[in-house]
Amino acid sequence: SHSVSTQSPVRSRRVFISYAQNFEDVMLWRALRHVAHGTYVDVGAQDPVVDSVSMAFYEHGWRGVHVEPVPAYAALLRRARPDVRVVEAALGASAGRLTLHEFAGTGLSTVDREMALSHVAAGFAMREVEVECTTLEQVLSPYADNDVHWMKIDVEGFEREALSGWGGGVNPWIVVVESTL
């Protein structure tokens, strides 16, 4: 006589949990799941978990850099992910300083004044703060000899300016740019 097992086979693959607002992480994972311990650049990273494109990759052993001009979110990223680089700055065509229109507790903070005023008109409270500005080329330069597997840019209406600071020295495999205009 023989017995039939009713137990499920053990699976060695870890579950992929999406954290991103629009499943950007799922789409990136479909393209890049074959890469073990890859590298990402998350521009406009915001919260380390909520609406995060990089969190699922981080859980799977990936590391990279987070660019976040809002001081509170940059601090959260440093605490939650002490083994990654956090650049507390906005991105622009050149280095310097910019006025950040901050909408606390939201993903709406922007250096685009017109967009900020539309948020104020919609009832959001705004605070203006001067922040450092760097270029995408400066952010990417430490990765000149490594592959960057994906780069996400979500800078609330300032995407063109952020991209204009990219000299092309480092070319990520995949670039995701949020543009709602």
Side-chain angles (χ1 to χ4, degrees):
S1 116
H2 69 316
S3 65
V4 177
S5 173
T6 58
Q7 295 179 351
S8 299
V10 176
R11 296 194 177 181
S12 62
R13 292 183 0 188
R14 292 188 347 192
V15 174
F16 186 88
I17 298 170
S18 177
Y19 295 89
Q21 187 174 20
N22 294 303
F23 301 106
E24 299 92 335
D25 53 357
V26 172
M27 291 180 271
L28 287 165
W29 188 251
R30 286 178 181 161
L32 299 168
R33 71 175 137 219
H34 67 282
V35 176
H37 306 290
T39 301
Y40 60 81
V41 176
D42 193 348
V43 178
Q46 195 187 358
D47 191 271
V49 177
V50 177
D51 295 335
S52 174
V53 175
S54 60
M55 181 61 183
F57 287 87
Y58 184 82
E59 289 180 332
H60 283 265
W62 288 51
R63 296 298 182 263
V65 60
H66 301 87
V67 181
E68 178 53 54
V70 176
Y73 285 130
L76 283 173
L77 285 160
R78 283 189 193 97
R79 277 194 302 274
R81 303 186 195 176
D83 56 342
V84 299
R85 185 171 154 229
V86 176
V87 176
E88 188 174 330
L91 289 185
S94 59
R97 295 191 63 76
L98 289 172
T99 300
L100 176 69
H101 310 284
E102 185 179 347
F103 298 90
T106 75
L108 300 176
S109 298
T110 180
V111 294
D112 184 304
R113 181 156 177 75
E114 191 173 310
M115 182 173 278
L117 292 176
S118 72
H119 297 321
V120 170
F124 290 93
M126 179 181 73
R127 173 177 91 102
E128 291 184 338
V129 59
E130 289 293 312
V131 297
E132 291 296 319
C133 179
T134 189
T135 66
L136 193 50
E137 190 66 21
Q138 289 171 320
V139 169
L140 292 171
S141 66
Y143 303 97
D145 295 327
N146 301 356
D147 284 328
V148 172
H149 298 95
W150 64 260
M151 176 172 67
K152 182 268 292 178
I153 300 175
D154 179 355
V155 291
E156 301 304 312
F158 212 63
E159 288 80 11
R160 179 183 304 273
E161 291 80 359
L163 286 166
S164 69
W166 184 10
V170 174
N171 295 305
W173 292 12
I174 299 173
V175 177
V176 176
V177 180
E178 180 190 72
S179 182
T180 57
L181 302 178

